[in-house]
Amino acid sequence: MYAGKYTAVNPDRPAFIMASTGESVSYREYDNRTNQLAHLLRSYGLQRLDHYAIFMENNDRYLEACGAGERAGLYYTCVNSYLKADELAYILNNSESKVLITSLEKAPIALEALKDAPHISHCLVVGGETTGACIGYEQALANCPKTPIEDEALGTSMLYSSGTTGQPKGIVRPLPMLTPSECLPIYSFLGDLWHYREDMIYLSPAPLYHSAPQAAVSLTIRSGGTVVIMEKFDPTAYLNLVAQYQVSHSQLVPTMFSRMLKLPAEVRAKADLSSLEIAVHAAAPCPPQVKEAMIDWWGPIIHEYYGATEGLGFTSCNSEEWLAHKGTVGKVMLGELYILDEDGNKSPPGVPGELWFKTATEFSYFNNEEKTKASQSSDGSMSTVGDVGYVDDGFLYLTDRSTFMIISGGVNIYPQETENLLITHPKIEDAAVFGVPNEDLGEEVKAVVQVVEGLEPNEALIEELMLFCAAHLSRQKCPRSIDFEAELPRLPTGKLYKRLLKDRYWASHGTRIL
């Protein structure tokens, strides 16, 4: 998120705009702010390759909190803003962060976490005053120079996995000695792929702590464009913002697609999407029915990619490629992909196996040598994050994660297809499918669903959903039972926090499902 030459070329152009208030921060002001924070971090003793953490909701100081690290040679860790104090403390300690930047809204959680994070020397609170262990962010910056620090160097993020299947892991990459105006190769690749340019307008509807919006927003700033930041996603507001700011680029997750498709027909019909050139989606599997409906509505501007935060490899496809290979996440563009069975042998074309990459970029799990080794092949040449899929005609199709596979009567069942179907039912807002204990079969298929607002769940709806599944799925993939939840534990990034649901059903069996 380095402004670079655009501070001089277009100093008055908005670097970003806050969607809810319309507050606009120019490139000149953004550059000044990142310089001030870089000076402050140096005054706190942080030198190149040191770590600090950011724990905030989307706000008007978030981008500079990242941008300062990118020009001071630091690793910055953007922490999931929905975490509890003990979860935050774990990341602060594991990341070896020396400074925490938080907000007035998140300060109570941050202060509780600091009791168990003794290595944090300073806690800065955006919108707060200097009291006790807290330092008012704006007050601390007030007298810091707006000129660059003398020893500028390229910094980068060190983000954590979402922790949906266990403790989150910090993903760290080697940071070469470069100037902030230079960028890591992956960013140049993505900018070329999605046609980032100087006059683009990027709408960011997702939490800024996640890797995908981090990369997209950073690319936009480095390209001289303008970012419109939504504090939280709302389907109608999103469509209105596209029209208001003539948005050219955006990145979403499939649940956002689903929620927009379930808006009243008249709302969708009047949406002005004429300025949109590229809409990218990733982070979670997209039901083919949902994606096809989005392409019908928005036109062939939707691009999909698959790539873990670890950066093992990267696949991509545009709308035309997807329509010709429905369900694919694209062809491999970075890294070398291998589909391996449980014995480490290559799976035949069309047969699912675990995805392994000869990695495109080097990485390790910070302070977790055991997890790093577990993710690598015995010779260290390949890595995996546990995703399962297959290749057909050169295109990759994801089946599920290996940790979510259901083994019922000796049959391997991947629940993603069942989830994809259930979420298309007009009465269902969200769905989770996973294995629960069965004395005879070991596991059986369970569905937990969230109904659309205003609908009352009942036995008749269960029967309707059972028949719906039976009409579209093979018998072993159909749920044997369906439960209802008011809201499923889905992260704002789109990922389903399925472990929270599974653990309830397995608790009495004395086995924790990871």
Side-chain angles (χ1 to χ4, degrees):
M1 298 181 192
Y2 178 70
K5 65 180 182 181
Y6 300 106
T7 301
V9 174
N10 293 306
D12 297 321
R13 174 177 289 169
F16 68 89
I17 300 168
M18 299 305 297
S20 66
T21 63
E23 176 192 358
S24 177
V25 174
S26 69
Y27 268 86
R28 179 191 294 109
E29 175 64 18
Y30 174 74
D31 192 62
N32 289 342
R33 290 183 181 186
T34 57
N35 282 325
Q36 286 183 298
L37 181 53
H39 278 284
L40 185 64
L41 294 172
R42 281 287 188 269
S43 75
Y44 289 160
L46 274 71
Q47 299 301 318
R48 182 175 178 270
L49 304 184
D50 280 340
H51 296 248
Y52 68 100
I54 303 164
F55 179 64
M56 297 192 291
E57 72 287 358
N58 288 6
N59 62 37
D60 64 343
R61 295 287 185 167
Y62 207 112
L63 299 194
E64 72 195 59
C66 303
E70 289 197 9
R71 68 190 311 158
L74 302 172
Y75 284 108
Y76 57 92
T77 291
C78 301
V79 184
N80 181 338
S81 61
Y82 293 84
L83 295 189
K84 296 180 173 60
D86 60 332
E87 297 170 314
L88 171 59
Y90 171 81
I91 291 178
L92 294 178
N93 291 325
N94 184 263
S95 66
E96 298 182 359
S97 290
K98 297 181 177 181
V99 171
L100 172 63
I101 301 174
T102 189
S103 64
L104 194 60
E105 178 180 323
K106 298 296 177 181
I109 299 171
L111 285 173
E112 187 65 26
L114 289 180
K115 295 176 183 178
D116 296 314
H119 299 297
I120 296 291
S121 62
H122 296 82
C123 179
L124 299 165
V125 182
V126 170
E129 298 180 355
T130 300
T131 54
C134 296
I135 304 169
Y137 179 87
E138 292 83 358
Q139 182 180 347
L141 290 183
N143 296 319
C144 292
K146 297 179 179 180
T147 54
I149 58 176
E150 292 183 358
D151 57 342
E152 281 197 318
L154 178 66
T156 193
S157 60
M158 188 187 83
L159 304 182
Y160 275 69
S161 65
S162 58
T164 53
T165 57
Q167 284 279 30
K169 301 176 289 292
I171 299 157
V172 64
R173 295 186 181 84
L175 187 57
M177 185 63 188
L178 299 171
T179 65
S181 61
E182 301 173 272
C183 65
L184 298 176
I186 184 65
Y187 289 105
S188 299
F189 165 77
L190 293 175
D192 292 340
L193 180 65
W194 294 323
H195 309 295
Y196 278 57
R197 62 173 191 274
E198 187 173 333
D199 59 346
M200 65 181 285
I201 308 292
Y202 177 84
L203 177 55
S204 182
L208 292 172
Y209 64 74
H210 190 250
S211 59
Q214 272 280 311
V217 168
S218 180
L219 270 170
T220 303
I221 297 293
R222 284 183 172 272
S223 301
T226 296
V227 179
V228 180
I229 301 172
M230 296 183 75
E231 287 82 347
K232 61 181 181 179
F233 177 75
D234 175 85
T236 303
Y238 178 92
L239 295 174
N240 291 339
L241 288 166
V242 170
Q244 179 181 352
Y245 291 105
Q246 289 295 283
V247 169
S248 60
H249 293 65
S250 190
Q251 183 159 302
L252 307 98
V253 296
T255 53
M256 296 174 181
F257 286 163
S258 295
R259 290 171 188 174
M260 285 189 283
L261 287 169
K262 289 179 179 177
L263 289 171
E266 60 272 18
V267 174
R268 288 187 282 119
K270 71 178 183 181
D272 179 7
L273 303 167
S274 59
S275 62
L276 263 182
E277 299 170 16
I278 292 183
V280 180
H281 76 91
C286 185
Q289 304 94 319
V290 170
K291 183 160 182 179
E292 191 165 12
M294 286 300 299
I295 295 173
D296 286 344
W297 178 16
W298 286 17
I301 65 167
I302 297 177
H303 295 242
E304 181 170 1
Y305 75 90
Y306 164 73
T309 306
E310 285 84 347
L312 311 182
F314 187 93
T315 72
S316 178
C317 64
N318 58 30
S319 292
E320 290 83 1
E321 289 170 322
W322 187 89
L323 288 169
H325 303 84
K326 291 183 181 178
T328 185
V329 293
K331 284 189 171 183
V332 176
M333 303 188 73
L334 291 176
E336 190 174 340
L337 173 64
Y338 293 84
I339 309 291
L340 305 181
D341 63 20
E342 294 177 356
D343 298 320
N345 300 315
K346 288 186 179 181
S347 295
V351 177
E354 191 166 356
L355 275 56
W356 290 81
F357 279 94
K358 285 191 175 179
T359 56
T361 58
E362 185 182 347
F363 85 96
S364 62
Y365 293 123
F366 191 67
N367 280 337
N368 202 329
E369 185 177 350
E370 181 181 340
K371 289 291 186 182
T372 301
K373 287 183 177 179
S375 72
Q376 296 175 341
S377 58
S378 57
D379 63 359
S381 65
M382 297 186 295
S383 299
T384 185
V385 292
D387 288 334
V388 175
Y390 62 92
V391 172
D392 184 26
D393 192 26
F395 286 83
L396 174 64
Y397 296 77
L398 295 182
T399 307
D400 215 323
R401 289 187 62 80
S402 58
T403 48
F404 295 150
M405 184 178 72
I406 303 166
I407 304 177
S408 184
V411 176
N412 293 350
I413 302 167
Y414 292 102
Q416 189 64 57
E417 185 179 354
T418 311
E419 287 178 7
N420 287 349
L421 176 68
L422 283 168
I423 205 170
T424 65
H425 193 282
K427 296 180 181 178
I428 299 303
E429 182 75 23
D430 207 353
V433 179
F434 48 88
V436 296
N438 180 292
E439 295 300 330
D440 295 324
L441 301 173
E443 291 182 277
E444 66 177 58
V445 180
K446 161 75 72 174
V448 178
V449 300
Q450 173 185 336
V451 300
V452 297
E453 188 175 356
L455 190 68
E456 194 68 31
N458 52 40
E459 290 296 325
L461 180 54
I462 291 176
E463 181 64 22
E464 181 179 340
L465 295 174
M466 291 286 202
L467 292 172
F468 180 65
C469 289
H472 294 88
L473 298 170
S474 59
R475 184 172 177 273
Q476 71 267 24
K477 296 177 183 177
C478 293
R480 290 196 168 207
S481 58
I482 298 176
D483 292 344
F484 297 100
E485 287 282 335
E487 185 173 4
L488 297 192
R490 191 177 286 274
L491 301 177
T493 57
K495 288 188 177 180
L496 189 61
Y497 211 175
K498 204 181 293 189
R499 179 166 59 89
L500 292 181
L501 295 170
K502 290 180 68 175
D503 281 351
R504 294 185 209 165
Y505 294 91
W506 286 88
S508 62
H509 283 246
T511 302
R512 183 180 178 187
I513 300 301
L514 297 177

